[in-house]
Amino acid sequence: MTKDEKQHLNKLSAIGCVLCHLQGTPGTPAEIHHPRKGTGMGQRSSHYDAIPLCPEHHRGNTGIHGMGVKAFTKHYDIDEAGLLHITRRLLGAQQEQAYGWKA
Ligand SMILES: [Zn+2]
């Protein structure tokens, strides 16, 4: 893993679980979920496509690995692409705060 990738994953951890965020309880300590969809041929998904999810929403009974991606998507009415989109928006907001960037 490169230094930049490691920094990126640290930022994801700092955001906290993106699904808890959607449910109105942001800041839950998160693990890093790597979506597998669309990577194909044994390719590892990029760290930049990773999504922060708390242990429950990652691998618990109501989690993406616990329920399976299909059931998870249906249950929360959002798929991995949607969660990634929100993750990136939150990352952007975090960077704006840190560096005073304007969107
Ligand atoms: Zn969560």
Side-chain angles (χ1 to χ4, degrees), residues 33-73:
H33 171 65
H34 288 90
R36 279 163 193 260
K37 199 168 68 179
T39 55
M41 301 304 283
Q43 223 181 337
R44 270 209 68 148
S45 90
S46 162
H47 292 302
Y48 299 103
D49 292 334
I51 299 163
L53 289 173
C54 64
E56 177 60 31
H57 286 143
H58 190 210
R59 53 193 160 78
N61 289 334
T62 61
I64 195 159
H65 292 300
M67 298 174 90
V69 176
K70 258 189 186 170
F72 181 92
T73 301

Side-chain angles (χ1 to χ4, degrees), residues 7-55:
Q7 277 182 352
H8 182 76
L9 295 185
N10 284 340
K11 282 183 202 164
L12 292 184
S13 301
I15 287 172
C17 175
V18 68
L19 192 54
C20 284
H21 184 92
L22 282 178
Q23 293 179 335
T25 50
T28 314
E31 302 176 339
I32 302 300
H33 171 65
H34 288 90
R36 279 163 193 260
K37 199 168 68 179
T39 55
M41 301 304 283
Q43 223 181 337
R44 270 209 68 148
S45 90
S46 162
H47 292 302
Y48 299 103
D49 292 334
I51 299 163
L53 289 173
C54 64

Side-chain angles (χ1 to χ4, degrees), residues 55-96:
E56 177 60 31
H57 286 143
H58 190 210
R59 53 193 160 78
N61 289 334
T62 61
I64 195 159
H65 292 300
M67 298 174 90
V69 176
K70 258 189 186 170
F72 181 92
T73 301
K74 204 175 167 198
H75 184 76
Y76 295 107
D77 197 28
I78 188 163
D79 61 7
E80 288 173 317
L83 291 173
L84 182 59
H85 183 77
I86 292 162
T87 300
R88 288 184 172 153
R89 272 182 40 192
L90 291 173
L91 269 178
Q94 194 186 46
Q95 282 174 344
E96 275 170 37

